[in-house]
Amino acid sequence: MAVDEKLATVRHSCAHVMAEAVLHLFPGTKYAIGPAIDTGFYYDFAFPKDVKFSEADFPAIEKEMRRIIAGNHDFIRTEVTKDEALKLFKDQEYKVEIINDLPAEEKITTYRQDDFLDLCRGPHVANTKEINAQGFKLLKTAGAYWRGDSERPMLTRVYALCFAKPNDLKEHLKMLEEAEKRDHRKLGTEMDLFHLDPEDPGQIFWHPAGWTMYVALQDYMRKRVLEDGYKEVNTPAVMPRTLWEKSGHWGHYQKNMFITESEKRMFAIKPMNCPGALEIFNTRTRSYKDLPMRLAEFGHCVRNEPSGTLHGIMRVRGFVQDDAHILCTDDQISDEVSKFCRLLKSVYKDFGFDKNLIVKFSTMPDDHVGDLATWERAEKALAEACKKAELEYEIQPKEGAFYGPKLEFTLVDALGRQWQCGTIQVDYQLPSSERLNAEYTGADNQKHNPVMLHRAVLGSLERFLGILIENFAGAMPVWLHFEQAAVVPIGKDFNEYAQKINNALLAAGIRSNAYLDDDNMKNKIRLISMQNRTPYILVVGEKEKAENSVTVRFRHSSGLPQRTFSLDEFIAYARNKIDTHSLNS
């Protein structure tokens, strides 16, 4: 058994131990499901109405879990019939529902340890002694609808961490503590970047500082894609039902679309940009000489995500992607994907994410559309592109989109967390005659449907900015930060000189502010350092005025001592950091 599989088995076994401990301490509790997850496990419970369960109960549950583990109980697997299973779990309504939903031919198994019996496929460890009694910790509770259905009962989900070694648990807890400090929602409030209104879930209100960074990020990507041979387009936010029906979204994605009506016609706010790109392609006769056609769009999309799944600016309803659609021939797929991979690697390098890039290759799923030969051709082209771009990848069997294979790019942040951001997908279906019927005239003077490559480097700009805020703990690279320099006079007698310096910086394209209010210098510097996290604080007084210079205090995270520059030297220094997209201030 692989290490990850073994650890997942330990975690799932520990979930059963937790469920047993909960039932010992809170008799009458109903238990639902308890799977292993990336860092531990969870279990969903319905507590008796007279029980006020809270995280304050965690120490008692953990103590009982350790007592159970110390009992060295075997996990005993038993196969049962459907009728036997229904009798065994007759007092557990959630288990009964699961059993009743199982196909008649399904093999049903139970696992018992000590006095706890659960309906479970397994596998489990042989004995509770294989669970490290110091390697787990109950983490938090959350509400969870039974089977994810908001019309069903709300259960109490108990999350727990579980690791093979106590030191692994300690390291993870340290990471979580640091992650809490870096939480983009917390920093967004502290730095006055944005706010979220509970009356308008999933929509972001960007404040001046946050919007400055957002625009800088978008302008950066716009420059990169234009340099890489793309043409920027923009398509309507609201498009008719007829278009969404042709594209297939009305039948497959309608529940996530915001729908409206006008003049007895149905419209939808676009959840994605793809049909709009093909509408542009279809406005005139196209030739093979026009391909590849690379259409980039920073299109604002809206998706009706359940409010319970929303998370700060990481998971929203309204967002903008650095989206693009490449219309090309079969023979151009490999070159275009390889070209995209090079662009993505270069962009990620500017953010410091190039060292641990994870690439996943998702192949044909069971419910695919299109013939096997087409899929084989598309997968071969993706593999060749990765080789050209010198990208190693891991295969995700049967995880491709129903219309074609895809590559997914996952970056690793400063805390070791993984974020899937970039993607490129090969699509033979949307441009086909059965869908939006995009056509070009080939060298053979015959009509052909192009291949459509859907691709994004950053993905959602909102989500990527949230990742950056947490990765850099708010101390963004100079080129991206909303305030690149702050000019602070040592006293009001030097306000005029401070303003002169600020004007020169602004003229040089450096985002700067002069702090000329009556507060004392120390308070100003504290505010600029702690709230704004400004890379360069330029302190000016008599000496600086006489020499036309500035004394620069570097952001505390840089570890640099303060230094005096002439004004021209500092402008050249700062411009170099900005223009080269330096990660080091």
Side-chain angles (χ1 to χ4, degrees):
M1 185 182 294
V3 174
D4 287 349
E5 291 177 353
K6 183 176 180 180
L7 184 54
T9 301
V10 169
R11 286 168 171 164
H12 187 44
S13 303
C14 197
H16 280 221
V17 171
M18 182 181 76
E20 179 184 353
V22 167
L23 265 63
H24 286 176
L25 297 173
F26 304 97
T29 296
K30 308 297 182 184
Y31 52 109
I33 57 172
I37 54 177
D38 283 350
T39 57
F41 58 87
Y42 68 78
Y43 216 116
D44 292 343
F45 301 101
F47 289 95
K49 291 182 179 179
D50 60 342
V51 171
K52 293 183 179 179
F53 182 82
S54 73
E55 292 176 10
D57 296 305
F58 284 0
I61 296 172
E62 290 173 349
K63 182 179 179 181
E64 179 64 7
M65 288 173 68
R66 292 188 176 97
R67 187 194 69 76
I68 294 167
I69 289 169
N72 293 345
H73 303 288
D74 290 335
F75 282 85
I76 302 170
R77 179 181 182 275
T78 306
E79 289 187 18
V80 296
T81 65
K82 193 168 187 176
D83 287 342
E84 288 171 335
L86 288 171
K87 289 177 183 177
L88 287 170
F89 295 98
K90 60 184 173 59
D91 297 325
Q92 292 293 333
E93 60 197 73
Y94 300 106
K95 301 295 182 182
V96 167
E97 183 175 328
I98 292 172
I99 295 165
N100 282 326
D101 286 347
L102 292 174
E105 67 278 6
E106 180 89 8
K107 182 185 292 185
I108 299 176
T109 57
T110 65
Y111 278 85
R112 179 185 295 279
Q113 90 276 350
D114 194 19
D115 61 2
F116 178 73
L117 180 70
D118 207 349
L119 179 75
C120 186
R121 290 191 180 96
H124 285 279
V125 297
N127 187 282
T128 56
K129 66 184 177 183
E130 295 182 52
I131 303 170
N132 193 306
Q134 304 303 319
F136 68 85
K137 181 176 177 60
L138 303 196
L139 190 62
K140 63 180 179 180
T141 62
Y145 290 113
W146 170 232
R147 292 191 159 177
D149 185 346
S150 59
E151 302 298 319
R152 305 299 302 276
M154 174 72 79
L155 305 178
T156 299
R157 177 166 293 178
V158 179
Y159 285 96
L161 300 173
C162 182
F163 291 88
K165 301 174 183 177
N167 280 345
D168 292 340
L169 174 63
K170 289 178 183 177
E171 287 300 314
H172 189 77
L173 288 170
K174 285 180 184 177
M175 186 278 288
L176 291 180
E177 185 179 350
E178 182 61 28
E180 187 175 354
K181 294 176 187 174
R182 294 169 179 247
D183 190 312
H184 74 279
R185 296 166 297 179
K186 176 174 175 287
L187 293 177
T189 300
E190 288 179 5
M191 299 174 70
D192 195 23
L193 303 179
F194 58 83
H195 81 271
L196 301 157
D197 186 344
E199 293 298 312
D200 191 10
Q203 306 287 348
I204 306 167
F205 292 79
W206 290 102
H207 298 192
W211 187 245
T212 297
M213 295 197 296
Y214 188 99
V215 170
L217 181 62
Q218 189 176 51
D219 286 348
Y220 164 82
M221 279 309 305
R222 175 173 284 116
K223 182 173 184 291
R224 294 303 306 267
V225 297
L226 293 179
E227 289 173 346
D228 208 46
Y230 291 79
K231 303 294 184 183
E232 187 174 345
V233 299
N234 189 263
T235 60
V238 179
M239 291 190 276
R241 169 179 177 168
T242 50
L243 178 64
W244 299 112
E245 285 177 332
K246 288 179 185 176
S247 71
H249 291 95
W250 196 266
H252 293 280
Y253 205 75
Q254 186 180 343
K255 68 177 183 179
N256 293 102
M257 300 166 74
F258 284 96
I259 298 168
T260 186
E261 184 177 347
S262 176
E263 299 178 341
K264 298 182 180 180
R265 293 180 64 206
M266 298 294 289
F267 296 81
I269 302 174
K270 65 178 178 182
M272 51 197 67
N273 301 305
C274 347
L278 284 175
E279 285 286 280
I280 292 173
F281 184 89
N282 286 340
T283 56
R284 61 184 61 198
T285 302
R286 305 291 181 182
S287 160
Y288 71 96
K289 295 178 183 178
D290 297 320
L291 305 181
M293 181 180 289
R294 307 180 189 98
L295 301 178
E297 179 174 12
F298 294 97
H300 190 273
C301 298
V302 181
R303 297 178 184 174
N304 191 13
E305 303 284 0
S307 58
T309 66
L310 303 176
H311 177 71
I313 65 174
M314 301 284 209
R315 182 76 181 267
V316 292
R317 287 179 172 173
F319 60 94
V320 173
Q321 289 179 302
D322 66 317
D323 211 354
H325 298 90
I326 303 168
L327 285 305
C328 64
T329 68
D330 276 355
D331 293 340
Q332 293 169 334
I333 293 174
S334 179
D335 286 343
E336 287 303 306
V337 173
S338 179
K339 180 180 175 65
F340 166 75
C341 290
R342 289 193 298 271
L343 171 66
L344 179 139
K345 285 172 67 178
S346 175
V347 168
Y348 282 17
K349 185 176 182 180
D350 281 348
F351 296 101
F353 294 137
D354 57 319
K355 298 294 188 296
N356 298 305
L357 186 61
I358 300 167
V359 185
K360 297 182 180 179
F361 189 135
S362 299
T363 60
M364 185 178 71
D366 291 332
D367 62 344
H368 67 278
V369 293
D371 60 84
L372 183 60
T374 301
W375 273 87
E376 289 176 346
R377 191 163 65 248
E379 290 179 2
K380 182 180 178 182
L382 279 186
E384 289 175 354
C386 288
K387 186 175 180 180
K388 284 182 183 179
E390 298 180 345
L391 283 175
E392 295 183 2
Y393 57 83
E394 57 184 79
I395 295 289
Q396 293 192 120
K398 301 184 178 184
E399 290 295 320
F402 70 90
Y403 52 77
K406 62 181 177 178
L407 298 178
E408 294 178 343
F409 300 85
T410 299
L411 56 85
V412 181
D413 71 8
L415 298 183
R417 299 174 299 180
Q418 296 183 4
W419 305 93
Q420 193 272 307
C421 295
T423 183
I424 186 163
Q425 305 173 5
V426 181
D427 184 2
Y428 282 90
Q429 304 308 314
L430 200 59
S432 70
S433 54
E434 290 79 17
R435 291 297 181 189
L436 296 183
N437 195 29
E439 291 183 334
Y440 69 92
T441 303
D444 58 0
N445 209 33
Q446 299 298 309
K447 293 292 185 181
H448 302 272
N449 298 120
V451 181
M452 190 176 204
L453 305 180
H454 308 251
R455 104 307 166 269
V457 177
L458 307 182
S460 157
L461 298 186
E462 289 75 7
R463 179 171 178 265
F464 197 80
L465 192 53
I467 292 169
L468 292 177
I469 290 168
E470 295 195 359
N471 183 67
F472 294 108
M476 309 293 263
V478 181
W479 68 270
L480 187 57
H481 208 76
F482 63 89
E483 182 179 77
Q484 295 164 331
V487 187
V488 180
I490 63 172
K492 63 182 180 179
D493 291 344
F494 303 101
N495 278 3
E496 185 177 342
Y497 180 65
Q499 188 62 62
K500 173 190 167 184
I501 295 295
N502 190 60
N503 292 342
L505 297 177
L506 293 172
I510 298 169
R511 292 189 286 273
S512 176
N513 284 302
Y515 288 76
L516 308 178
D517 56 78
D518 292 335
D519 205 355
N520 66 59
M521 183 181 73
K522 286 185 177 180
N523 286 342
K524 291 177 184 179
I525 291 174
R526 186 180 302 111
L527 168 72
I528 297 164
S529 300
M530 302 304 293
Q531 178 176 307
N532 294 357
R533 293 166 169 77
T534 305
Y536 307 119
I537 302 176
L538 281 54
V539 179
V540 296
E542 186 66 48
K543 178 176 179 290
E544 288 79 17
K545 181 179 178 181
E547 297 176 353
N548 196 35
S549 65
V550 293
T551 297
V552 180
R553 294 188 177 206
F554 295 91
R555 190 159 51 194
H556 61 84
S557 58
S558 70
L560 296 173
Q562 73 177 31
R563 176 179 165 189
T564 299
F565 294 81
S566 72
L567 176 57
D568 289 343
E569 285 175 339
F570 175 73
I571 288 175
Y573 178 88
R575 284 280 6 142
N576 176 259
K577 295 293 185 183
I578 294 166
D579 296 340
T580 61
H581 299 104
S582 174
L583 295 173
N584 185 354
S585 61

